Amino acid sequence: MAQGTPDVGDASHAAQTAQMEDYRKSIDNLDSALIAILAERFRMTEKIGLTKSAAGLAPLDPERERQQFENFRALAGSFGLDVQVVADVMGRIIQHAKNRHEVLMRGG
Amino acid sequence: MAQGTPDVGDASHAAQTAQMEDYRKSIDNLDSALIAILAERFRMTEKIGLTKSAAGLAPLDPERERQQFENFRALAGSFGLDVQVVADVMGRIIQHAKNRHEVLMRGG
């Protein structure tokens, strides 16, 4: 609880609650944006998977992946983000695309 | 390789390569957008963590988290995305924010 009389504490608590609600609204909006971009990203990786499958190309491309992670590290640095966190989240997204490419390669 | 004469095959291969490069350019742009939004999301969760820490509030809020995942499922559905994939990626992002909140709660 905040310092001061109960009234001040209540006012402070109400202000904190309002502040938290405000931050959470931003987070919900940002999450909607993240998911919308993920939708477009998976639409693109689906096309890549179909192109690779039709051309008989391997679903995995280690050199491309190496370049992507190099780019993620650079972006994380420029935004002041934890490089490990960005690599973990982006790696997870890439893993889902790779899983889907392997399904497509098997004729899925 | 594509069907047809070697010339047609080469032309087809060149077209496929150009197409793949085009898709990959889109993916790189989308990834920059994802990371930029992640930066703003972590900026907001940092503020939440500091507010919670200052107010002595618990770093975790199961009811808020339940609402978030309900929202993710609805968004995944509206974008025609795999609900499990969206829940996995967003869960990973939330986990990193929670880890950070626990660090802040221990005094950063």
Side-chain angles (χ1 to χ4, degrees):
Chain A
M1 290 300 290
Q3 69 286 12
T5 67
D7 282 339
V8 170
D10 286 352
S12 171
H13 179 74
Q16 277 162 352
T17 302
Q19 187 67 84
M20 290 278 286
E21 283 307 304
D22 186 58
Y23 294 150
R24 285 177 165 176
K25 181 67 192 162
S26 288
I27 287 170
D28 289 343
N29 285 342
L30 294 166
D31 285 347
S32 296
L34 284 173
I35 293 170
I37 295 173
L38 278 180
E40 181 60 10
R41 193 188 197 282
F42 283 118
R43 216 175 69 87
M44 286 294 151
T45 53
E46 185 77 10
K47 290 184 186 189
I48 289 182
L50 291 168
T51 302
K52 281 184 171 178
S53 174
L57 297 169
L60 309 184
D61 185 338
E63 174 55 19
R64 161 70 176 160
E65 207 169 312
R66 194 195 59 71
Q67 289 170 354
Q68 286 180 291
F69 278 88
E70 192 176 296
N71 189 37
F72 298 155
R73 280 190 293 273
L75 284 166
S78 76
F79 282 111
L81 287 171
D82 184 315
V83 171
Q84 295 297 108
V85 167
V86 171
D88 177 67
V89 171
M90 298 308 294
R92 201 81 173 184
I93 294 169
I94 286 178
Q95 187 58 52
H96 286 296
K98 284 159 70 174
N99 293 347
R100 177 67 185 149
H101 285 182
E102 285 171 356
V103 169
L104 290 172
M105 202 58 72
R106 290 196 299 271
Chain B
M1 291 299 288
Q3 70 286 12
T5 67
D7 282 341
V8 171
D10 286 352
S12 171
H13 179 73
Q16 276 162 351
T17 301
Q19 185 68 83
M20 290 278 285
E21 283 307 304
D22 186 60
Y23 293 150
R24 284 175 166 176
K25 181 69 191 159
S26 287
I27 286 169
D28 289 344
N29 285 342
L30 294 167
D31 285 348
S32 296
L34 284 174
I35 292 169
I37 294 172
L38 279 180
E40 181 61 11
R41 191 188 198 282
F42 283 119
R43 216 174 69 86
M44 286 294 150
T45 53
E46 186 76 9
K47 291 186 186 189
I48 288 181
L50 291 169
T51 301
K52 282 184 171 179
S53 175
L57 296 170
L60 310 184
D61 185 339
E63 174 55 20
R64 161 70 176 160
E65 207 170 313
R66 193 196 60 71
Q67 288 169 355
Q68 286 179 293
F69 278 88
E70 190 176 297
N71 189 36
F72 298 155
R73 281 191 291 275
L75 284 166
S78 78
F79 282 111
L81 286 172
D82 185 316
V83 171
Q84 294 298 107
V85 167
V86 172
D88 178 67
V89 172
M90 298 308 294
R92 201 80 173 182
I93 294 168
I94 286 178
Q95 187 58 53
H96 287 295
K98 283 160 68 176
N99 293 348
R100 177 67 184 148
H101 284 184
E102 284 171 356
V103 169
L104 290 173
M105 203 56 72
R106 290 195 300 270

